[in-house]
């Protein structure tokens, strides 16, 4: 049974999410604030975390929690679920390593679908064909079994979303991938600016290991492509 942690300071909203997800067959823990969540999750990480940004007296408590969780695991799926819908908040959340950013006007059915999509991406590593479990493109190596990436033999700490975006690009070098195609391959449904933020974050992670990294080209008006250089 998949374990989901929901960090939401409004009790009625939190209880609704807990009840809905338990009805979907998940084991769910609810937390009202960042300190209690960090204490409990320090002992055992969930399979997915759903985090509000404003938590009690902490206006950006969810951002702090996301940073803490991401420091412990680069592959833990994290969803921001919040009333804050500004572009700045969305970009900040994704830069901190969230896999998805949703607003609270989303329907329960849609939320359940997004959670299911995230779990399917993680489970896609479960039983690939032996011949297909590793993708190598020059200095890049992607292990599809473990969702691990390396560049020049060094581990690249990619989130689940970032991993599948890199895989989408690298599996067909030179081929332009539109933002819609990247969304489809990564099983996320966001606007163009969010895809741009993900790509910038991916580039920074590779450049932290290799200042000369320039394999992800922007093709203006069309999308992105991976160029082996």
């Amino acid at each position: 049974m998949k374990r989901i942690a929901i960090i939401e300071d409004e009790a009625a909203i939190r209880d609704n999410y807990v009840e809905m997800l338990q009805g979907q067959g998940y084991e769910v823990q609810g937390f009202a604030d960042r300190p209690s969540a960090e204490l409990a999750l320090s002992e055992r990480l969930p399979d997915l975390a759903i985090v509000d940004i404003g938590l009690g007296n902490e206006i950006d408590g969810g951002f702090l929690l996301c940073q803490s969780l991401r420091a412990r695991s680069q592959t833990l799926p994290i969803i921001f679920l919040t009333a804050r819908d500004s572009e700045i908040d969305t970009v900040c959340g994704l830069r901190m390593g969230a896999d998805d950013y949703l607003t609270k006007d989303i329907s329960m059915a849609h939320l359940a679908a997004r959670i299911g999509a995230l779990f399917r991406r993680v489970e896609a590593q479960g039983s690939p064909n032996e011949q297909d479990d590793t993708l190598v493109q020059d200095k890049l190596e992607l292990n599809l079994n473990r969702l691990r990436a390396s560049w020049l033999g060094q581990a690249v700490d990619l989130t689940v979303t970032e991993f599948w975006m890199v895989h989408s690009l690298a599996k067909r070098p030179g081929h332009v991938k539109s933002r819609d195609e990247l969304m489809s391959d990564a099983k996320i449904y966001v606007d163009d600016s969010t895809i741009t933020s993900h790509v910038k974050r991916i580039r920074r992670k590779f450049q932290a290991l290799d200042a000369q990294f320039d394999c992800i080209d922007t093709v203006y008006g069309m999308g992105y492509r991976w160029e082996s250089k």
Side-chain angles (χ1 to χ4, degrees):
M1 182 181 294
K2 296 292 187 183
R3 297 175 60 252
I4 297 176
I6 296 177
I7 302 87
E8 163 62 57
D9 61 343
E10 295 188 36
I13 294 176
R14 184 175 65 251
D15 290 345
N16 282 341
Y17 291 146
V18 169
E19 182 179 356
M20 183 274 290
L21 291 171
Q22 286 177 337
Q24 296 282 325
Y26 299 113
E27 178 183 340
V28 188
Q29 290 178 287
F31 303 96
D33 52 49
R34 180 179 62 85
S36 64
E38 286 191 336
L39 180 61
L41 301 183
S42 66
E43 298 179 2
R44 182 186 177 190
L45 286 174
D47 296 304
L48 181 144
I50 300 173
V51 185
D52 192 5
I53 295 176
L55 295 172
N57 295 325
E58 295 185 311
I59 297 175
D60 292 331
F63 285 153
L64 297 174
L65 179 59
C66 178
Q67 288 178 314
S68 174
L69 292 173
R70 188 54 76 218
R72 295 187 59 204
S73 171
Q74 282 293 320
T75 57
L76 169 68
I78 300 174
I79 297 175
F80 275 119
L81 182 60
T82 176
R84 288 160 57 169
D85 60 358
S86 73
E87 183 175 352
I88 292 176
D89 283 328
T90 304
V91 171
C92 284
L94 294 172
R95 284 179 176 172
M96 289 177 181
D99 292 285
D100 211 343
Y101 190 105
L102 309 174
T103 54
K104 289 181 179 177
D105 57 357
I106 190 172
S107 70
M108 290 292 190
H110 194 176
L111 174 61
R114 298 287 274 266
I115 290 170
L118 261 177
F119 278 138
R120 284 193 297 275
R121 279 192 285 155
V122 174
E123 290 164 359
Q125 67 181 314
S127 56
N129 295 330
E130 288 298 321
Q131 296 178 344
D132 299 331
D133 64 354
T134 301
L135 172 69
V136 178
Q137 289 291 355
D138 296 330
K139 304 170 187 176
L140 174 71
E141 182 172 322
L142 299 176
N143 186 307
L144 306 188
N145 284 329
R146 297 178 175 84
L147 294 186
R148 291 178 182 171
S150 63
W151 179 258
L152 290 171
Q154 303 177 81
V156 187
D157 290 330
L158 301 177
T159 67
V160 176
T161 295
E162 292 164 354
F163 180 92
W164 289 116
M165 288 180 67
V166 171
H167 178 262
S168 176
L169 292 167
K171 68 182 179 180
R172 296 187 65 186
H175 178 79
V176 177
K177 285 281 187 175
S178 70
R179 289 173 173 83
D180 285 344
E181 288 175 316
L182 286 176
M183 280 192 283
S184 176
D185 289 346
K187 294 183 174 62
I188 56 174
Y189 307 95
V190 294
D191 57 26
D192 286 356
S193 64
T194 302
I195 292 293
T196 300
S197 295
H198 276 303
V199 171
K200 288 180 178 178
R201 181 178 171 85
I202 290 168
R203 283 190 180 121
R204 285 197 297 270
K205 289 185 175 183
F206 279 95
Q207 288 166 352
L209 300 175
D210 177 7
Q212 305 303 313
F213 176 84
D214 62 350
C215 291
I216 301 178
D217 291 341
T218 300
V219 183
Y220 292 98
M222 297 180 66
Y224 303 93
R225 69 181 165 211
W226 184 274
E227 292 285 3
S228 296
K229 299 177 182 180

